[in-house]
Amino acid sequence: MESICISLKATATASPVNISQGRSNGGTVFWGETIRGGWDFGTQLWKSLRAENGVKKAKPGVAYSIITPEINKETMKFEPPKFEAPQADPKNVASIILGGGAGTRLFPLTSQRAKPAVPIGGCYRLIDIPMSNCINSGIKKIFILTQFNSFSLNRHLARTYNFGNGVNFGDGLVEVLAATQTPGEAGKKWFQGTADAVRQFVWVFEDAKAKDVEHKHIDSNADITVSCLPMDDSRASDYGLMKIDGTGRIVQFAEKPKGPNLKAMQVDTSILGLSAQDAARYPYIASMGVYVFKTSVLLKLLTRSYPSCNDFGSEIIPSAVKEHKVQAYLFSDYWEDIGTIKSFFDANLALTEQPPKFEFYDPKTPFYTSPRFLPPTKVDECKIVDSIISHGCFLRECSVQHSIVGVRSRLESGVDLQDTMMMGADYYQTESEIASLLAEGKVPIGVGQNTKIKNCIIDKNAKIGKDVIISNTDAVEEAERPEDGFYIRSGITVIMKNATIRDGTVI
């Protein structure tokens, strides 16, 4: 997924949106200009409540405690709420999340869902990360462009981010802009790339041209800002790479270069503040795929300057560097590209580490997802070490180590789960249904008795029988066995959604 922020009026410009923790690194930032007269994103994310003449001033969206007459005020002590979500006028800033890619590198997890709808962390979906970062940054006018396998993604967005129901995020909107066909020859084409996806819906942003857009983008007066981070040699060819001058301006941009072109993009990254040792380890500056545009510049690039260019990373940004001021923003917090099975698997299991590099528990930056109203998990004589257990699970006399167990999961006695991400289930089966299935020799949803699983991703609603062993002891790197309900990618066994693994199976 890529993200774009555009400023719609002169009175405000875009705050940084990260596909990570959503925090500023403090100090000088190339983007994230003051909003509403002097609010500094890099200095203070949250404001304490102010008192006036001893009376707390109530504000929308903030919870307060009231002492009733029967409470002894002399013995009752409490602290007022200390944090309040930052607010940005949704009329001024819009975020575009490009969620229409096929996600082929994450197959088979994307065989029946869009990449942004892939579960992560036990109870979230990938789309929840950029959505929550937008909300926590005060950006509440959000457009999501979708195309492939978008049903479950659209359903999740409708259930979770309806600003009028459930958790109220204030005066904002979430619009899903799905790929569609329109009259005319050009209108018969689906999205041809990231830039083309935005171009096909450019009319949504056309009214911004009539506004007095200030020719000052952030403190650096940039037309475009590209978020970046240092990158090592092993992964550099997977990213757009850039060279910058002493002011942070991008002077050269190359999308996923290979061979000699890759080596030509090496730079002295000590200019970013890295030590000599780290600069030697990370000789490249990589794009994170998060862009901030002046609205006028975005519309000009898509409709007039490069109307036939279809991709931001490989076409629009490299071309814009030549004639526009394109600025880099160094992101120094946690960030990972989870576009492959291995990187997705590693990033999920990293959530179980102590302390984790990334976590969903920071009260200052809450992460939102669909409210499921599930009961607490029931654990009966289990051993659980360095793991995450989600809501509504049933664990009986099992062992779970360095693993994530998703919502509504069922683990029977004798199950041993190690280094495994289990996505859970979309629905429950009753005890009578489970007993009936077992009596008929069938396999219910969950993991059956005495099954041993290691180094595995188990997709939703998988039915794994008893006495099964999934360990890939032969160290197979790649395999395709859809008829048997699984694939192997980078040595990681992936059990398909709705798959059935029969009793006694050995993988």
Side-chain angles (χ1 to χ4, degrees):
M1 287 180 288
E2 290 180 287
S3 299
I4 299 171
C5 287
I6 58 173
S7 58
L8 302 181
K9 291 178 69 176
T11 53
T13 52
S15 297
V17 177
N18 317 312
I19 44 177
S20 53
Q21 287 280 74
R23 300 173 183 162
S24 170
N25 65 329
T28 302
V29 290
F30 290 119
W31 60 356
E33 182 171 298
T34 48
I35 296 178
R36 286 190 175 175
W39 181 74
D40 185 357
F41 186 89
T43 304
Q44 184 179 8
L45 280 175
W46 308 89
K47 298 177 180 178
S48 297
L49 290 172
R50 295 189 179 94
E52 190 173 282
N53 298 325
V55 179
K56 304 294 182 184
K57 294 191 295 183
K59 297 183 179 181
V62 180
Y64 290 87
S65 298
I66 299 175
I67 299 180
T68 56
E70 63 270 17
I71 300 296
N72 187 335
K73 296 183 181 180
E74 293 182 358
T75 59
M76 178 70 178
K77 290 185 178 180
F78 65 92
E79 293 293 330
K82 294 182 179 179
F83 301 117
E84 173 187 352
Q87 298 293 318
D89 188 343
K91 296 179 181 178
N92 294 342
V93 182
S95 176
I96 306 171
I97 299 174
L98 306 176
T104 53
R105 295 185 299 163
L106 272 179
F107 186 87
L109 300 181
T110 52
S111 62
Q112 298 182 45
R113 60 169 75 91
K115 177 181 175 181
V118 172
I120 184 174
C123 64
Y124 300 92
R125 293 180 185 254
L126 289 179
I127 190 66
D128 293 329
I129 310 302
M131 288 293 296
S132 297
N133 281 331
C134 287
I135 294 166
N136 292 330
S137 298
I139 300 174
K140 298 178 183 178
K141 190 170 187 176
I142 305 168
F143 300 91
I144 305 101
L145 274 64
T146 65
Q147 179 162 264
F148 293 97
N149 275 338
S150 60
F151 171 72
S152 63
L153 174 60
N154 294 341
R155 180 179 59 189
H156 177 75
L157 291 168
R159 289 177 175 176
T160 308
Y161 302 101
N162 183 343
F163 285 154
N165 297 320
V167 178
N168 194 329
F169 299 111
D171 182 19
L173 65 87
V174 173
E175 292 284 354
V176 176
L177 305 178
T180 185
Q181 292 187 336
T182 57
E185 191 64 31
K188 295 180 181 180
K189 297 179 180 179
W190 298 110
F191 295 158
Q192 302 300 303
T194 54
D196 183 63
V198 177
R199 182 186 295 113
Q200 289 196 30
F201 282 97
V202 76
W203 54 270
V204 175
F205 313 107
E206 282 289 336
D207 63 338
K209 292 193 295 184
K211 301 179 186 288
D212 182 20
V213 181
E214 186 180 28
H215 294 293
K216 178 180 180 293
H217 184 241
I218 322 177
D219 295 333
S220 60
N221 192 32
D223 294 318
I224 307 169
T225 301
V226 181
S227 57
C228 66
L229 72 171
M231 184 59 59
D232 58 38
D233 190 71
S234 64
R235 299 187 295 165
S237 61
D238 294 332
Y239 300 92
L241 302 179
M242 64 189 77
K243 292 183 177 181
I244 63 176
D245 62 18
T247 66
R249 181 170 181 170
I250 300 173
V251 295
Q252 187 177 349
F253 190 98
E255 179 72 2
K256 300 179 181 179
K258 302 290 191 293
N261 293 331
L262 173 63
K263 296 300 180 183
M265 293 304 294
Q266 285 189 349
V267 296
D268 180 7
T269 51
S270 62
I271 192 174
L272 302 177
L274 274 66
S275 66
Q277 183 178 2
D278 285 341
R281 290 176 55 199
Y282 302 99
Y284 298 95
I285 303 175
S287 166
M288 295 167 56
V290 181
Y291 316 116
V292 181
F293 284 83
K294 285 182 180 177
T295 305
S296 59
V297 172
L298 177 64
L299 297 176
K300 176 185 175 183
L301 290 172
L302 294 179
T303 61
R304 297 195 298 276
S305 299
Y306 307 104
S308 60
C309 291
N310 294 325
D311 190 74
F312 280 110
S314 61
E315 298 175 295
I316 297 293
I317 299 298
S319 300
V321 166
K322 303 172 185 177
E323 58 188 65
H324 292 278
K325 186 173 184 181
V326 184
Q327 200 77 11
Y329 164 74
L330 174 63
F331 182 73
S332 59
D333 213 317
Y334 175 83
W335 182 85
E336 278 293 338
D337 174 18
I338 51 178
T340 65
I341 291 292
K342 178 169 175 51
S343 61
F344 173 80
F345 181 69
D346 291 343
N348 270 276
L349 293 192
L351 297 172
T352 67
E353 297 174 357
Q354 295 298 332
K357 296 178 181 177
F358 176 91
E359 60 183 356
F360 291 99
Y361 305 105
D362 189 342
K364 299 178 183 178
T365 55
F367 285 84
Y368 304 96
T369 191
S370 176
R372 299 180 178 88
F373 309 108
L374 293 174
T377 285
K378 186 175 182 179
V379 179
D380 182 12
E381 298 185 35
C382 299
K383 177 184 178 182
I384 301 174
V385 180
D386 295 337
S387 298
I388 295 173
I389 312 297
S390 299
H391 325 309
C393 300
F394 296 90
L395 281 65
R396 302 183 178 95
E397 301 176 28
C398 60
S399 173
V400 181
Q401 300 182 52
H402 195 227
S403 297
I404 292 178
V405 179
V407 295
R408 303 187 189 89
S409 292
R410 182 181 61 85
L411 303 181
E412 296 292 355
S413 61
V415 168
D416 185 4
L417 218 62
Q418 296 184 43
D419 303 325
T420 292
M421 181 195 177
M422 184 173 182
M423 293 184 179
D426 291 319
Y427 56 92
Y428 283 121
Q429 291 177 322
T430 65
E431 291 296 327
S432 60
E433 287 175 331
I434 293 172
S436 177
L437 289 169
L438 292 173
E440 296 174 7
K442 297 179 181 180
V443 182
I445 292 175
V447 182
Q449 294 179 356
N450 302 317
T451 287
K452 317 297 179 186
I453 302 177
K454 185 176 183 179
N455 203 42
C456 182
I457 298 175
I458 305 172
D459 207 337
K460 286 258 187 110
N461 308 327
K463 308 172 185 69
I464 301 177
K466 61 184 179 181
D467 301 315
V468 172
I469 298 177
I470 303 175
S471 60
N472 191 17
T473 53
D474 293 334
V476 175
E477 280 295 305
E478 302 289 331
E480 298 190 10
R481 299 278 292 277
E483 67 279 4
D484 295 322
F486 72 92
Y487 288 76
I488 297 178
R489 292 286 184 263
S490 301
I492 302 162
T493 305
V494 182
I495 306 299
M496 299 171 62
K497 185 176 182 179
N498 300 318
T500 298
I501 308 298
R502 298 292 179 184
D503 295 349
T505 300
V506 177
I507 300 177

